């Protein structure tokens, strides 16, 4: 009889344990997001927080338009549920290439935000756009994403005002520059007077360089600004001919040391520009 009661008790305990474990809240799996550049990855990490798992494909110091994809890079899409890429990355990430990873659950979404994302107004637009995508694809965490996005937008606004004040105090307003076309939007936002722009080093033939030098001399250009990802030394020869200061800044978080976030990358760019302004005669 005692054995029967013992067995019944054991069965009841097992049932209770199963019931308790079944009622326990199960943690939802993280949304796995692959990104085309560190600009998108940084926003996804900030907005997604602990609800997302992010893997980036194009390294931040590389030119995203000329990066040679390797099989290992493409395989980062194999386990992702969502792939966010810039609208201008379509030629790199073709439909055939994406299909080659055989991930039927993968959703590809283009993030179309025009302008230089290092400029705070453009970064705010990008945050809003990416937050909207995350909320649409993962509605169960919509409130969480919105809260993080609102906080991030507020931080960007404050950062933008603070940065402009520093640049204006240093006399950036109206300083005439020649720059990489990839930095034009950021420098205009920062208050510089962009006289002319140029492309990658291979596009700077002798005729183009002479045209830029002539424009620089006529306008009294004092600063030449290169873009790290498209050619860090592209404008050095032009700066030498003009007797101008040359500086290289980055368009992507992580491109320069200790700049893994957009905010840190912005601070570094501004620091480099402020140092350059001190040398401008």
């Amino acid at each position: 009889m005692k054995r029967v009661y013992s067995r019944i008790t054991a069965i009841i305990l097992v049932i209770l344990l199963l019931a308790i474990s079944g009622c326990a809240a199960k943690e939802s799996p993280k949304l796995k997001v692959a990104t085309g550049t560190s600009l998108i990855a940084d926003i996804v990490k900030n907005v997604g927080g602990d609800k997302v798992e992010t893997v980036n494909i194009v390294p931040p110091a590389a030119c995203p338009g000329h990066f040679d994809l390797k099989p290992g890079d493409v395989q980062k899409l194999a386990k992702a549920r969502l792939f966010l890429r810039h609208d201008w990355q379509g030629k790199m990430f073709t439909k055939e290439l994406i299909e080659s990873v055989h991930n039927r659950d993968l959703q590809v979404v283009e993030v179309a935000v025009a302008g230089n994302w290092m400029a705070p107004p453009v970064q705010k637009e990008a945050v809003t756009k990416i937050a909207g995508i995350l909320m649409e694809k993962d509605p169960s965490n919509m409130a969480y994403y919105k809260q993080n996005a609102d906080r991030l937008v507020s931080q960007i606004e404050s950062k933008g005002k603070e940065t402009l004040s520093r640049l204006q105090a240093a006399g950036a307003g109206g300083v005439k520059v020649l720059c990489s076309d990839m930095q034009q939007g950021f420098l205009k936002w920062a208050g510089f007077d962009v006289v002319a722009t140029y492309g990658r080093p291979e596009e700077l033939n002798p005729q183009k360089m002479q045209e830029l030098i002539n424009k620089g001399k006529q306008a009294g250009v004092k600063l030449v600004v290169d873009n790290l990802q498209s050619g860090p030394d592209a404008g050095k020869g032009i700066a030498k001919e003009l007797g101008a200061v040359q500086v290289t800044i980055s368009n992507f978080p992580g491109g320069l040391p200790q700049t893994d976030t957009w905010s840190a990358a912005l601070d570094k760019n501004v620091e480099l520009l402020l140092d350059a302004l001190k040398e401008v005669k």
Side-chain angles (χ1 to χ4, degrees):
M1 195 72 176
K2 287 183 179 180
R3 288 183 180 179
V4 173
Y5 281 122
S6 296
R7 288 179 181 176
I8 293 173
T9 303
I11 292 170
I12 292 172
L13 285 172
V14 169
I15 292 172
L16 286 172
L17 286 171
L18 289 172
I20 292 170
S21 63
C23 293
K26 294 182 179 178
E27 187 177 347
S28 300
K30 292 184 178 183
L31 176 65
K32 294 184 178 180
V33 183
T35 60
T37 72
S38 61
L39 281 168
I40 299 177
D42 181 60
I43 295 175
V44 171
K45 289 175 184 176
N46 276 288
V47 174
D50 59 7
K51 305 296 183 184
V52 301
E53 183 178 319
T54 310
V55 58
N56 185 52
I57 296 178
V58 179
C63 175
H66 295 79
F67 180 69
D68 292 325
L69 283 171
K70 300 176 181 62
D73 299 318
V74 182
Q75 278 304 306
K76 291 179 180 179
L77 298 174
K79 296 182 179 180
R81 190 181 128 195
L82 188 61
F83 176 35
L84 302 184
R85 61 172 175 82
H86 298 275
D87 53 341
W88 41 264
Q89 287 185 299
K91 291 182 179 180
M92 174 182 289
F93 296 103
T94 62
K95 181 181 179 182
E96 292 74 20
L97 182 66
I98 292 170
E99 288 178 348
S100 71
V101 300
H102 305 294
N103 182 356
R104 293 183 179 180
D105 296 326
L106 182 66
Q107 298 182 56
V108 182
V109 182
E110 289 188 346
V111 183
V113 177
N116 188 308
W117 286 33
M118 290 309 302
V122 182
Q123 178 73 183
K124 279 174 52 181
E125 183 183 348
V127 167
T128 301
K129 178 86 69 173
I130 290 172
I133 294 169
L134 292 178
M135 287 188 282
E136 178 187 348
K137 301 302 180 182
D138 186 19
S140 62
N141 290 309
M142 182 182 293
Y144 178 80
Y145 296 143
K146 186 179 186 308
Q147 181 181 28
N148 287 344
D150 290 344
R151 171 185 50 78
L152 189 55
V153 164
S154 179
Q155 290 174 353
I156 293 168
E157 289 174 346
S158 297
K159 192 73 175 177
K161 292 176 182 177
E162 173 197 336
T163 301
L164 279 180
S165 295
R166 291 178 64 197
L167 289 164
Q168 289 167 2
V175 173
K176 296 182 183 299
V177 304
L178 292 176
C179 70
S180 163
D181 50 16
M182 293 299 175
Q183 289 296 348
Q184 180 179 10
F186 176 72
L187 292 171
K188 283 187 173 181
W189 169 82
F192 292 92
D193 181 0
V194 178
V195 173
T197 65
Y198 50 87
R200 294 174 59 80
E202 58 267 27
E203 300 169 11
L204 282 173
N205 56 46
Q207 181 182 350
K208 178 64 175 175
M209 285 192 68
Q210 192 58 55
E211 289 175 0
L212 289 165
I213 290 167
N214 291 341
K215 286 182 180 180
K217 286 180 177 178
Q218 291 170 8
V221 165
K222 300 294 184 183
L223 186 62
V224 176
V225 184
D226 282 316
N227 180 51
L228 175 70
Q229 287 77 18
S230 55
D233 300 325
K236 275 193 173 180
I238 298 170
K240 185 177 180 180
E241 289 293 325
L242 293 174
V245 178
Q246 184 270 350
V247 63
T248 300
I249 59 178
S250 173
N251 255 347
F252 293 89
L256 294 169
Q258 299 179 332
T259 61
D260 290 341
T261 65
W262 173 85
S263 181
L266 177 63
D267 283 342
K268 184 61 176 179
N269 282 348
V270 172
E271 177 188 322
L272 290 167
L273 289 168
L274 291 177
D275 287 343
L277 284 172
K278 292 175 184 177
E279 299 180 42
V280 171
K281 299 177 182 178

